[in-house]
């Protein structure tokens, strides 16, 4: 595995785009194709999902393409996991978006700030402090991210 693959694996695991069980299946298939990769071999023998997760998080990645990889993960997260309508997992989604956005600073240094501002707006809407509903505030966030992604592509 190269540094880009390690970085991609780590952030996908962090935001829930991939699960340890899926990684184990993939590793076993890849190892059969490339049995000389020592890292794949080591990872293939890790039994527990939590142990594999800890191992992956402990890996050092020296990827020089973090921004490009993070953008792909951001797109994948947005289009596959991020709901179009407000749900009970808002805090998790905001946290995951912020985590990925931190790697996109050169691409858009204010993306993280916009996500935080929309999160604050949704919180204020829940408290009844602004003239829109939480659902409307969330739709604004979703729309902003969709337009931002469309402009990046």
């Amino acid at each position: 595995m190269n540094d880009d693959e390690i970085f991609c694996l780590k952030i996908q695991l962090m935001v829930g785009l991939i699960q340890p069980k899926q990684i184990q299946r993939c590793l076993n298939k890849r190892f059969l194709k490339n049995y000389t990769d020592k890292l794949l071999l080591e990872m293939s023998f890790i039994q527990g999902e939590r142990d594999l997760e800890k191992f992956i998080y402990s890996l050092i990645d020296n990827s020089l393409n973090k921004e490009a990889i993070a953008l792909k993960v951001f797109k994948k997260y947005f289009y596959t996991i991020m709901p179009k309508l407000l749900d009970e997992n808002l805090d998790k989604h905001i946290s995951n978006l912020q985590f990925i956005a931190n790697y996109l600073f050169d691409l858009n240094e204010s993306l993280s700030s916009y996500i935080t501002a929309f999160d604050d707006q949704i919180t204020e809407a829940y408290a009844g402090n602004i003239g829109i509903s939480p659902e409307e505030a969330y739709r604004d966030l979703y729309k902003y991210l969709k337009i931002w992604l469309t402009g990046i592509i």
Side-chain angles (χ1 to χ4, degrees), residues 3-131:
D3 289 332
D4 289 348
E5 292 171 315
I6 291 168
F7 176 70
C8 187
L9 194 61
K10 282 171 103 169
I11 62 172
Q12 285 189 79
L13 188 59
M14 288 287 282
V15 299
L17 281 169
I18 193 166
Q19 301 303 315
K21 193 175 260 344
Q22 293 169 292
I23 294 169
Q24 285 173 326
R25 283 193 301 261
C26 180
L27 287 173
N28 291 335
K29 289 178 187 175
R30 286 190 62 188
F31 181 69
L32 290 174
K33 292 178 184 174
N34 183 7
Y35 55 88
T36 59
D37 188 323
K38 292 177 183 177
L39 181 58
L40 283 176
L41 175 63
E42 189 174 350
M43 291 171 70
S44 295
F45 285 106
I46 297 173
Q47 293 297 317
E49 291 181 29
R50 291 295 292 157
D51 292 335
L52 179 60
E53 200 171 338
K54 287 178 188 176
F55 182 82
I56 291 170
Y57 291 148
S58 73
L59 293 173
I60 296 171
D61 62 82
N62 294 314
S63 174
L64 299 176
N65 301 307
K66 287 183 178 182
E67 188 172 59
I69 294 166
L71 180 58
K72 288 178 185 177
V73 172
F74 193 93
K75 287 177 189 177
K76 186 175 180 181
Y77 186 87
F78 182 78
Y79 289 116
T80 62
I81 293 183
M82 187 83 176
K84 291 183 180 181
L85 301 174
L86 182 62
D87 70 6
E88 67 278 352
N89 296 315
L90 174 68
D91 291 338
K92 180 179 83 167
H93 295 307
I94 294 295
S95 176
N96 288 339
L97 291 171
Q98 290 281 29
F99 174 75
I100 303 167
N102 287 334
Y103 291 102
L104 302 173
F105 187 79
D106 290 339
L107 195 57
N108 184 342
E109 63 189 45
S110 56
L111 178 62
S112 187
S113 297
Y114 278 114
I115 294 168
T116 299
F118 280 112
D119 184 35
D120 292 344
Q121 184 180 30
I122 295 166
T123 301
E124 290 298 313
Y126 269 122
N129 296 335
I130 58 176

